[in-house]
Amino acid sequence: MTHLLDPVRTSAAASPERPSRTPAARTARRKALLHWIAVHSLGIAAALFFVLPFVFVVLTSLMSDQQALTRDLTPNTWEWGNYERVFTTPGFLTWWRNTLLYAGLGTVLTVVSSIPVAYALAKFRFRGRKLSLMLVISMMMLPPQVVIIPMYLFWAKQMDLSGTLWPLIIPMAFGDAFSIFLLRQFLLTIPNEYLDAAKVDGCGEFRTLMKVVLPMARPGIAAIALFQFFAAWNDYFGPQIYASENPAAWTLSYGLESFKGAHHTDWNLTMAATVLVMAPVIAVFFFAQKAFVEGVTLTGVKG
């Protein structure tokens, strides 16, 4: 009877061994740890795969002319003046201004013109709706090189706009097939009950679009805006076709090729110019990545 009255012995006899100390629990914890290490190791390796080339470009841009492309990994002297030399290169600021005009104005025109079309394809019911959607999709599959000759003849010969960027900017005012399709898929995720409630309150189609749909579609709009901005900023083919004969209309992507040809032995200056071209795109994506990712991941939920 004495051992029944002993609280220590009673608790030791009554409580089983803790589950966390069993061999199965230790094995599961070890597997979870190994899985965590493997996943994060792969993530770090993938991050280094994408980051190291950019680090190489930045470090090379800060080297001297003699040290560039040697075995040295870091600059002996940090030549920040390389960026000033690039900026003072004749025409570089003009290329910047032209690129901002092309990418900025083109993005605004694309977004403004694509929203009504995407809204109509997503929320309206009319005859020929599926055919219109198929035409939009078919335009996405059409390479721009296929129509470049008739387009060039129209803009250069008929409109006399050769040597400018307007043949690239003006068509964006009529929508972009990829932007329309992507935004249409996003608008399908917005419940129709919100639109019906707005119409019951007396809103017309335009007011419903402005007051209800656009605030809810901000991630999708941000996604198509970023896609268009990046495409215009990095566009080389279009400026080469329409603006190559006029250096005053060159963009950064096309002017960088000329800069590389003029400074083919000064790799530090070439890398500095490359950093200056990439920096705005990286900054825009860094600040807008949340809306961009959300706009892409929410697209295509409905068909």
Side-chain angles (χ1 to χ4, degrees):
M1 297 297 292
T2 57
H3 71 278
L4 296 177
L5 301 177
D6 189 353
V8 177
R9 295 178 59 181
T10 303
S11 60
S15 60
E17 186 179 0
R18 294 181 180 179
S20 60
R21 296 180 180 178
T22 61
R26 289 196 297 268
T27 302
R29 189 166 59 250
R30 189 180 302 111
K31 288 183 179 180
L33 178 61
L34 292 176
H35 180 267
W36 184 90
I37 294 174
V39 170
H40 285 75
S41 299
L42 291 176
I44 293 173
L48 291 176
F49 179 79
F50 290 101
V51 171
L52 286 180
F54 180 74
V55 174
F56 170 78
V57 171
V58 173
L59 292 178
T60 305
S61 68
L62 295 173
M63 293 180 179
S64 61
D65 298 341
Q66 294 76 19
Q67 189 187 3
L69 296 187
T70 61
R71 294 184 178 181
D72 298 334
L73 298 179
T74 58
N76 296 330
T77 58
W78 298 84
E79 302 289 341
W80 296 100
N82 291 339
Y83 290 95
E84 182 180 357
R85 293 171 62 184
V86 172
F87 261 113
T88 56
T89 301
F92 192 82
L93 292 179
T94 302
W95 305 340
W96 259 84
R97 184 179 65 251
N98 295 335
T99 306
L100 288 175
L101 174 66
Y102 177 28
L105 183 58
T107 300
V108 172
L109 292 177
T110 299
V111 171
V112 172
S113 59
S114 299
I115 288 176
V117 182
Y119 176 63
L121 291 176
K123 299 301 181 182
F124 289 0
R125 297 294 181 266
F126 56 90
R127 182 178 300 178
R129 174 171 169 265
K130 292 184 178 180
L131 178 60
S132 301
L133 180 60
M134 292 303 298
L135 290 176
V136 172
I137 296 176
S138 64
M139 290 301 297
M140 294 171 51
M141 301 178 182
L142 187 65
Q145 292 81 3
V146 175
V147 297
I148 190 61
I149 293 179
M151 292 295 294
Y152 178 80
L153 293 177
F154 173 77
W155 291 110
K157 303 302 181 181
Q158 302 296 328
M159 304 300 294
D160 196 22
L161 290 176
S162 178
T164 67
L165 295 174
W166 292 112
L168 301 173
I169 297 175
I170 295 176
M172 297 182 185
F174 300 94
D176 174 70
F178 177 76
S179 301
I180 293 172
F181 176 77
L182 186 68
L183 188 58
R184 180 255 181 190
Q185 295 299 109
F186 185 89
L187 293 180
L188 288 176
T189 63
I190 299 178
N192 292 329
E193 288 75 10
Y194 290 102
L195 281 67
D196 297 336
K199 294 176 181 178
V200 169
D201 291 338
C203 294
E205 294 293 348
F206 179 77
R207 190 176 179 185
T208 301
L209 173 63
M210 298 299 296
K211 298 295 184 179
V212 179
V213 176
L214 292 188
M216 301 180 66
R218 288 177 181 174
I221 296 173
I224 66 171
L226 288 176
F227 272 124
Q228 185 59 44
F229 183 84
F230 295 159
W233 187 274
N234 298 319
D235 187 19
Y236 178 84
F237 181 73
Q240 182 187 30
I241 296 297
Y242 293 104
S244 59
E245 63 189 52
N246 182 17
W250 288 0
T251 59
L252 283 172
S253 57
Y254 188 76
L256 185 61
E257 182 67 24
S258 174
F259 184 91
K260 178 182 176 181
H263 300 272
H264 61 279
T265 58
D266 302 327
W267 283 103
N268 54 339
L269 298 182
T270 303
M271 295 300 179
T274 304
V275 171
L276 292 175
V277 172
M278 294 188 300
V281 176
I282 297 175
V284 170
F285 182 79
F286 178 80
F287 288 106
Q289 60 179 329
K290 182 179 179 180
F292 176 77
V293 173
E294 184 178 356
V296 174
T297 54
L298 294 180
T299 300
V301 178
K302 292 184 178 181

PDB file of all heavy atoms in Angstrom, residues 26 39 66 89 92 151 185 193 203 207 211 213 242 258 264 269:
ATOM      1  N   ARG A  26      11.671  10.438 -33.638  1.00  0.00           N
ATOM      2  CA  ARG A  26      13.013  10.937 -33.978  1.00  0.00           C
ATOM      3  C   ARG A  26      13.302  10.776 -35.459  1.00  0.00           C
ATOM      4  O   ARG A  26      13.911  11.637 -36.089  1.00  0.00           O
ATOM      5  CB  ARG A  26      14.052  10.207 -33.129  1.00  0.00           C
ATOM      6  CG  ARG A  26      14.038  10.600 -31.659  1.00  0.00           C
ATOM      7  CD  ARG A  26      15.311  10.141 -30.976  1.00  0.00           C
ATOM      8  NE  ARG A  26      15.421   8.685 -30.984  1.00  0.00           N
ATOM      9  CZ  ARG A  26      14.967   7.886 -30.005  1.00  0.00           C
ATOM     10  NH1 ARG A  26      14.364   8.424 -28.949  1.00  0.00           N
ATOM     11  NH2 ARG A  26      15.113   6.582 -30.080  1.00  0.00           N
ATOM     12  N   VAL A  39      15.689  21.447 -49.469  1.00  0.00           N
ATOM     13  CA  VAL A  39      14.905  22.466 -50.170  1.00  0.00           C
ATOM     14  C   VAL A  39      15.626  23.810 -50.146  1.00  0.00           C
ATOM     15  O   VAL A  39      15.744  24.497 -51.168  1.00  0.00           O
ATOM     16  CB  VAL A  39      13.503  22.575 -49.559  1.00  0.00           C
ATOM     17  CG1 VAL A  39      12.767  23.794 -50.110  1.00  0.00           C
ATOM     18  CG2 VAL A  39      12.700  21.317 -49.833  1.00  0.00           C
ATOM     19  N   GLN A  66      42.553  48.406 -67.071  1.00  0.00           N
ATOM     20  CA  GLN A  66      43.565  47.363 -67.086  1.00  0.00           C
ATOM     21  C   GLN A  66      43.121  46.116 -66.328  1.00  0.00           C
ATOM     22  O   GLN A  66      43.526  44.998 -66.667  1.00  0.00           O
ATOM     23  CB  GLN A  66      44.882  47.877 -66.473  1.00  0.00           C
ATOM     24  CG  GLN A  66      45.560  48.979 -67.263  1.00  0.00           C
ATOM     25  CD  GLN A  66      44.884  50.334 -67.087  1.00  0.00           C
ATOM     26  OE1 GLN A  66      44.128  50.521 -66.120  1.00  0.00           O
ATOM     27  NE2 GLN A  66      45.122  51.254 -68.019  1.00  0.00           N
ATOM     28  N   THR A  89      28.645  60.130 -72.161  1.00  0.00           N
ATOM     29  CA  THR A  89      28.805  59.696 -73.554  1.00  0.00           C
ATOM     30  C   THR A  89      27.742  60.364 -74.411  1.00  0.00           C
ATOM     31  O   THR A  89      26.561  60.372 -74.062  1.00  0.00           O
ATOM     32  CB  THR A  89      28.679  58.171 -73.657  1.00  0.00           C
ATOM     33  OG1 THR A  89      29.677  57.551 -72.846  1.00  0.00           O
ATOM     34  CG2 THR A  89      28.836  57.717 -75.105  1.00  0.00           C
ATOM     35  N   PHE A  92      23.780  59.172 -74.827  1.00  0.00           N
ATOM     36  CA  PHE A  92      23.271  58.224 -73.831  1.00  0.00           C
ATOM     37  C   PHE A  92      22.010  58.743 -73.155  1.00  0.00           C
ATOM     38  O   PHE A  92      21.044  58.002 -72.970  1.00  0.00           O
ATOM     39  CB  PHE A  92      24.359  57.927 -72.795  1.00  0.00           C
ATOM     40  CG  PHE A  92      24.034  56.758 -71.918  1.00  0.00           C
ATOM     41  CD1 PHE A  92      24.274  55.463 -72.346  1.00  0.00           C
ATOM     42  CD2 PHE A  92      23.477  56.935 -70.656  1.00  0.00           C
ATOM     43  CE1 PHE A  92      23.973  54.367 -71.545  1.00  0.00           C
ATOM     44  CE2 PHE A  92      23.172  55.864 -69.847  1.00  0.00           C
ATOM     45  CZ  PHE A  92      23.419  54.577 -70.290  1.00  0.00           C
ATOM     46  N   MET A 151       3.886  45.991 -92.371  1.00  0.00           N
ATOM     47  CA  MET A 151       3.804  47.054 -91.382  1.00  0.00           C
ATOM     48  C   MET A 151       4.844  48.144 -91.647  1.00  0.00           C
ATOM     49  O   MET A 151       4.552  49.340 -91.527  1.00  0.00           O
ATOM     50  CB  MET A 151       3.997  46.474 -89.975  1.00  0.00           C
ATOM     51  CG  MET A 151       2.875  45.576 -89.506  1.00  0.00           C
ATOM     52  SD  MET A 151       1.305  46.472 -89.318  1.00  0.00           S
ATOM     53  CE  MET A 151       1.709  47.567 -87.963  1.00  0.00           C
ATOM     54  N   GLN A 185      -8.633  36.724 -68.370  1.00  0.00           N
ATOM     55  CA  GLN A 185      -8.611  35.588 -67.464  1.00  0.00           C
ATOM     56  C   GLN A 185      -8.690  36.025 -66.003  1.00  0.00           C
ATOM     57  O   GLN A 185      -9.296  35.350 -65.180  1.00  0.00           O
ATOM     58  CB  GLN A 185      -7.336  34.765 -67.692  1.00  0.00           C
ATOM     59  CG  GLN A 185      -7.253  34.114 -69.060  1.00  0.00           C
ATOM     60  CD  GLN A 185      -8.393  33.147 -69.295  1.00  0.00           C
ATOM     61  OE1 GLN A 185      -9.289  33.412 -70.094  1.00  0.00           O
ATOM     62  NE2 GLN A 185      -8.389  32.040 -68.591  1.00  0.00           N
ATOM     63  N   GLU A 193     -21.706  38.730 -58.966  1.00  0.00           N
ATOM     64  CA  GLU A 193     -22.613  39.319 -57.980  1.00  0.00           C
ATOM     65  C   GLU A 193     -22.233  40.765 -57.663  1.00  0.00           C
ATOM     66  O   GLU A 193     -23.108  41.602 -57.398  1.00  0.00           O
ATOM     67  CB  GLU A 193     -22.611  38.491 -56.692  1.00  0.00           C
ATOM     68  CG  GLU A 193     -23.326  37.145 -56.807  1.00  0.00           C
ATOM     69  CD  GLU A 193     -22.516  36.115 -57.562  1.00  0.00           C
ATOM     70  OE1 GLU A 193     -21.321  36.383 -57.830  1.00  0.00           O
ATOM     71  OE2 GLU A 193     -23.067  35.032 -57.873  1.00  0.00           O
ATOM     72  N   CYS A 203     -25.720  51.876 -61.348  1.00  0.00           N
ATOM     73  CA  CYS A 203     -24.484  52.093 -62.115  1.00  0.00           C
ATOM     74  C   CYS A 203     -24.638  51.515 -63.517  1.00  0.00           C
ATOM     75  O   CYS A 203     -25.155  50.412 -63.703  1.00  0.00           O
ATOM     76  CB  CYS A 203     -23.299  51.440 -61.420  1.00  0.00           C
ATOM     77  SG  CYS A 203     -22.866  52.169 -59.824  1.00  0.00           S
ATOM     78  N   ARG A 207     -19.570  52.993 -65.382  1.00  0.00           N
ATOM     79  CA  ARG A 207     -19.353  53.280 -63.958  1.00  0.00           C
ATOM     80  C   ARG A 207     -19.043  51.998 -63.185  1.00  0.00           C
ATOM     81  O   ARG A 207     -18.244  52.007 -62.247  1.00  0.00           O
ATOM     82  CB  ARG A 207     -20.582  53.966 -63.373  1.00  0.00           C
ATOM     83  CG  ARG A 207     -20.358  54.518 -61.974  1.00  0.00           C
ATOM     84  CD  ARG A 207     -21.570  55.275 -61.490  1.00  0.00           C
ATOM     85  NE  ARG A 207     -21.367  55.783 -60.133  1.00  0.00           N
ATOM     86  CZ  ARG A 207     -22.291  56.401 -59.422  1.00  0.00           C
ATOM     87  NH1 ARG A 207     -23.510  56.605 -59.956  1.00  0.00           N
ATOM     88  NH2 ARG A 207     -22.028  56.821 -58.200  1.00  0.00           N
ATOM     89  N   LYS A 211     -15.751  51.879 -61.030  1.00  0.00           N
ATOM     90  CA  LYS A 211     -15.910  51.896 -59.579  1.00  0.00           C
ATOM     91  C   LYS A 211     -15.790  50.515 -58.929  1.00  0.00           C
ATOM     92  O   LYS A 211     -15.425  50.424 -57.749  1.00  0.00           O
ATOM     93  CB  LYS A 211     -17.272  52.497 -59.209  1.00  0.00           C
ATOM     94  CG  LYS A 211     -17.458  53.940 -59.654  1.00  0.00           C
ATOM     95  CD  LYS A 211     -16.495  54.886 -58.938  1.00  0.00           C
ATOM     96  CE  LYS A 211     -16.755  56.331 -59.330  1.00  0.00           C
ATOM     97  NZ  LYS A 211     -15.828  57.267 -58.620  1.00  0.00           N
ATOM     98  N   VAL A 213     -14.950  47.154 -60.960  1.00  0.00           N
ATOM     99  CA  VAL A 213     -14.045  46.185 -61.580  1.00  0.00           C
ATOM    100  C   VAL A 213     -12.583  46.613 -61.448  1.00  0.00           C
ATOM    101  O   VAL A 213     -11.726  45.812 -61.042  1.00  0.00           O
ATOM    102  CB  VAL A 213     -14.421  45.988 -63.063  1.00  0.00           C
ATOM    103  CG1 VAL A 213     -13.426  45.044 -63.745  1.00  0.00           C
ATOM    104  CG2 VAL A 213     -15.831  45.432 -63.172  1.00  0.00           C
ATOM    105  N   TYR A 242      12.709  50.448 -87.245  1.00  0.00           N
ATOM    106  CA  TYR A 242      12.121  51.753 -87.549  1.00  0.00           C
ATOM    107  C   TYR A 242      13.033  52.938 -87.242  1.00  0.00           C
ATOM    108  O   TYR A 242      12.879  53.990 -87.864  1.00  0.00           O
ATOM    109  CB  TYR A 242      10.814  51.929 -86.769  1.00  0.00           C
ATOM    110  CG  TYR A 242       9.715  50.995 -87.205  1.00  0.00           C
ATOM    111  CD1 TYR A 242       9.377  49.881 -86.447  1.00  0.00           C
ATOM    112  CD2 TYR A 242       9.015  51.218 -88.391  1.00  0.00           C
ATOM    113  CE1 TYR A 242       8.374  49.022 -86.834  1.00  0.00           C
ATOM    114  CE2 TYR A 242       8.006  50.358 -88.801  1.00  0.00           C
ATOM    115  CZ  TYR A 242       7.687  49.257 -88.021  1.00  0.00           C
ATOM    116  OH  TYR A 242       6.700  48.409 -88.422  1.00  0.00           O
ATOM    117  N   SER A 258      25.548  49.972 -80.074  1.00  0.00           N
ATOM    118  CA  SER A 258      26.478  50.956 -80.623  1.00  0.00           C
ATOM    119  C   SER A 258      27.558  51.326 -79.613  1.00  0.00           C
ATOM    120  O   SER A 258      28.732  51.485 -79.961  1.00  0.00           O
ATOM    121  CB  SER A 258      25.714  52.206 -81.070  1.00  0.00           C
ATOM    122  OG  SER A 258      26.596  53.230 -81.486  1.00  0.00           O
ATOM    123  N   HIS A 264      34.616  48.475 -77.383  1.00  0.00           N
ATOM    124  CA  HIS A 264      34.737  47.022 -77.311  1.00  0.00           C
ATOM    125  C   HIS A 264      35.927  46.571 -76.493  1.00  0.00           C
ATOM    126  O   HIS A 264      35.986  45.414 -76.059  1.00  0.00           O
ATOM    127  CB  HIS A 264      34.822  46.441 -78.728  1.00  0.00           C
ATOM    128  CG  HIS A 264      36.001  46.922 -79.517  1.00  0.00           C
ATOM    129  ND1 HIS A 264      35.997  48.139 -80.157  1.00  0.00           N
ATOM    130  CD2 HIS A 264      37.221  46.358 -79.750  1.00  0.00           C
ATOM    131  CE1 HIS A 264      37.159  48.314 -80.777  1.00  0.00           C
ATOM    132  NE2 HIS A 264      37.916  47.263 -80.534  1.00  0.00           N
ATOM    133  N   LEU A 269      33.471  49.957 -68.957  1.00  0.00           N
ATOM    134  CA  LEU A 269      32.454  50.926 -69.359  1.00  0.00           C
ATOM    135  C   LEU A 269      31.234  50.223 -69.949  1.00  0.00           C
ATOM    136  O   LEU A 269      30.095  50.644 -69.737  1.00  0.00           O
ATOM    137  CB  LEU A 269      33.039  51.910 -70.363  1.00  0.00           C
ATOM    138  CG  LEU A 269      34.199  52.786 -69.864  1.00  0.00           C
ATOM    139  CD1 LEU A 269      34.637  53.755 -70.954  1.00  0.00           C
ATOM    140  CD2 LEU A 269      33.800  53.543 -68.599  1.00  0.00           C
TER     141      LEU A 269
END
